[in-house]
Amino acid sequence: MAEEAAKAEAAKKAEYPLPLLPGNPARQVHEESKNRGHEKDAHAKKNDMLDIEESFGDAKAEKKRSALVLDKTKGFMKYQRRGEKYRNPMSRIRDWKELSTRLNDDELKYQSARCMDCGVPFCQSDTGCPISNIIPKWNELVFQNQWQDALNRLLMTNNFPEFTGRVCPAPCEGACVLGINEDPVGIKSIECAIIDRGFAMGWMIPHPPEDRTGKKVAIIGSGPAGLAAADQLNKAGHGVTVYERADRIGGLLMYGIPNMKLDKQIVQRRVDLMAEEGVKFVTSTPVGPDSEARQSLET
């Protein structure tokens, strides 16, 4: 105790080396300097302490601040085409997966920014997309980050965008007006990205028809045409049965296109979705002049 008292007395003497009486100018200057030091320390400590609400950033606001800002009006002059790149050969030889990698969100926005909002969009005309996809509209929706609206617009004209977005020869890009003097817009990549995001986000759910007509339709062959017909007729409310002579549904999609271009899980995913919507599939059933399936259909 005596030692502590001695230390305290020594500290006090060090603080005031001379006995400065109240009212002495030197003592006032010393106390003001000491108070400023205490205020500075308190202010620094306050800055180090954050309100718990401020410590958690607003995810939406942060995403909006970090969002890529592009010039849509002059994008076709400012930005170059960004194409899908092949995977590393050393990794490709170890599996049967698709050859190319998909564009990321920023690359897709660059592509959609290059769409010129043409007065006459030849990409969706007779010389472009054979199914008349409303391409400029969903390009604009992707640019605005409205992916679900872009998906709905795409599905209005295309039954299977996940197939066409991978194996279609893309006549729409050949008819693109920008292709006259520049590389065309990467329409095919955007289309594939829209439907892939639809499945990833859970937007692609079964929508069986609310009312059935009572009519039955048999479709022979489960290739792209057969599946598209089955999908349309089922949406109209008819009872649809698809007959396939092979052991799996898909026809050319399943047996004619290699996995490196179209993964068979992509095909099976669509077949499962159609089955949940009410389409019936019968495999290993050839339908010909003398087949039992034909006789059962005629009766």
Side-chain angles (χ1 to χ4, degrees), residues 103-120:
L103 301 182
N104 59 37
D105 288 354
D106 287 347
E107 291 171 329
L108 289 167
K109 192 164 186 177
Y110 272 110
Q111 279 307 291
S112 59
R114 299 180 72 238
C115 188
M116 300 191 298
D117 191 20
C118 306
V120 181

Side-chain angles (χ1 to χ4, degrees), residues 109-257:
K109 192 164 186 177
Y110 272 110
Q111 279 307 291
S112 59
R114 299 180 72 238
C115 188
M116 300 191 298
D117 191 20
C118 306
V120 181
F122 291 103
C123 58
Q124 65 181 43
S125 67
D126 293 339
T127 58
C129 181
I131 58 176
S132 301
N133 278 332
I134 312 173
I135 296 168
K137 185 62 178 179
W138 41 258
N139 278 347
E140 176 66 23
L141 291 170
V142 168
F143 180 79
Q144 296 175 1
N145 204 32
Q146 299 178 15
W147 287 88
Q148 192 166 6
D149 291 337
L151 175 65
N152 294 334
R153 181 68 63 171
L154 176 59
L155 293 176
M156 287 175 61
T157 54
N158 193 340
N159 294 84
F160 310 126
E162 66 270 35
F163 303 156
T164 57
R166 287 174 166 83
V167 300
C168 177
C172 54
E173 295 185 10
C176 177
V177 175
L178 183 57
I180 294 175
N181 58 353
E182 295 284 349
D183 290 330
V185 178
I187 301 170
K188 185 176 175 181
S189 299
I190 299 174
E191 177 184 3
C192 189
I194 292 172
I195 187 62
D196 283 352
R197 178 165 296 205
F199 277 105
M201 297 297 292
W203 298 332
M204 294 296 296
I205 58 176
H207 291 289
E210 297 180 359
D211 300 317
R212 290 289 182 180
T213 63
K215 298 179 180 180
K216 296 181 180 181
V217 181
I219 294 179
I220 314 304
S222 63
L227 291 178
D231 190 45
Q232 288 295 113
L233 292 169
N234 182 64
K235 289 177 179 177
H238 305 312
V240 181
T241 303
V242 179
Y243 292 89
E244 170 60 48
R245 66 181 177 181
D247 61 342
R248 298 181 185 180
I249 297 296
L252 178 67
L253 300 172
M254 184 64 72
Y255 292 102
I257 302 175

Side-chain angles (χ1 to χ4, degrees), residues 66-84:
S66 62
L68 187 63
V69 179
L70 298 178
D71 185 357
K72 183 69 168 69
T73 305
K74 299 180 180 179
F76 65 96
M77 295 189 295
K78 292 183 176 181
Y79 312 127
Q80 299 297 318
R81 177 187 172 99
R82 282 159 169 77
E84 296 179 354

Side-chain angles (χ1 to χ4, degrees), residues 240-291:
V240 181
T241 303
V242 179
Y243 292 89
E244 170 60 48
R245 66 181 177 181
D247 61 342
R248 298 181 185 180
I249 297 296
L252 178 67
L253 300 172
M254 184 64 72
Y255 292 102
I257 302 175
N259 281 32
M260 64 181 184
K261 296 292 290 182
L262 177 63
D263 196 298
K264 299 306 168 274
Q265 294 180 357
I266 302 296
V267 180
Q268 191 59 47
R269 181 179 63 184
R270 174 59 71 168
V271 172
D272 293 341
L273 181 64
M274 293 177 62
E276 292 178 6
E277 291 180 337
V279 179
K280 297 178 181 179
F281 295 101
V282 181
T283 58
S284 303
T285 307
V287 178
D290 302 325
S291 65

